[in-house]
Amino acid sequence: MVVSMTGYGKAILSNEQYKIHIEMKAVNHRYLESIVRMPRQLLAYEDSIKKIVSEYTSRGRVEVFVTIEGLLQRTLQIDEGLIKQYKEAIENLAVGESIYNPIDLLKLPEVTTVSEVEQINDNFEQLLVTTTKNACEQFFESKCKEGSQLKKDLLERLSAIEECKKQITEQAPLVIKSHREKLLAKLADVELANVDEQRLLTEVMIFADRCDISEELVRLASHLELFSETLELKESIGRKLDFIVQEMNREVNTIGSKANSLEISKQVVEIKNNLEKIREQVQNIE
């Protein structure tokens, strides 16, 4: 199963007291790294949120943004004794009628204070957990959707590589035949009437052994099959696919260095081009 490491999800839930909004997004990362950004009053719930996230993803750098309404209850307090002292001081300075305004008194230093009281209870924790799970489900769904597009592209490129491998398999025997014909042509040029057939055969066999790519083609076919099978596994497959691509590159490089053929070289270049695209796509897979 192909799941992308990148994704996005969000959820909003509320009850009579709270409204919780959670957004999450992810980018590529070698391992799972969860970063939770939320009010400092909720730091005790950070590990719980990270644990839920880990149930929906195994790789990637995941950022979770938590905003909450109704978490704090604010209370206004007025220091009436201090106001009285301010009034008396103003009246002592005033000539005639009082010059103070009640609203202005409230603006004086330390007359008013606003206190915040956290409103956290069991209902809040349950709502936070449910909202987190809802966001994670949408997040996972977006990762799967993108993963299906990645899989489609990978399968198309695998098919292209299979076609190139087929062409190489057909061309490989012709390389030896061509080499034998070239040897005979050279011998004809120097007008050697008596050709040592055994020596000619030995020379051809040495060349054939040196440019034999049958083992590499078998291993490449095996890697292609393994890659296709791995795409269907219901687990994290990104690292495994990356390793298989490395092995395919190794076989293709050997084929390119051993096969003494322009046609085979063209197919090798095409395979390497597709493998590079596959490697880039695999970096996005969880």
Side-chain angles (χ1 to χ4, degrees), residues 181-243:
E181 292 173 350
K182 288 178 182 179
L183 283 177
L184 289 172
K186 287 181 179 180
L187 291 172
D189 288 341
V190 295
E191 298 181 348
L192 292 178
N194 297 321
V195 177
D196 187 340
E197 289 292 337
Q198 185 60 41
R199 184 168 183 179
L200 177 62
L201 180 60
T202 301
E203 178 68 24
V204 172
M205 289 179 65
I206 292 173
F207 176 82
D209 184 65
R210 188 168 62 246
C211 67
D212 181 24
I213 57 174
S214 57
E215 291 186 11
E216 286 78 8
L217 288 172
V218 169
R219 286 195 291 267
L220 178 59
S222 176
H223 295 326
L224 288 169
E225 183 179 357
L226 180 59
F227 193 97
S228 296
E229 293 174 352
T230 303
L231 290 176
E232 306 301 327
L233 296 179
K234 297 184 181 299
E235 60 187 54
S236 180
I237 61 176
R239 289 194 185 95
K240 186 173 183 179
L241 291 176
D242 188 44
F243 174 76

Side-chain angles (χ1 to χ4, degrees), residues 28-44:
N28 298 354
H29 197 272
R30 189 174 181 182
Y31 305 105
L32 174 61
E33 180 185 7
S34 299
I35 301 172
V36 182
R37 307 188 188 281
M38 59 185 180
R40 59 179 179 79
Q41 296 89 345
L42 302 179
L43 291 179

Side-chain angles (χ1 to χ4, degrees), residues 58 94 135:
S58 58

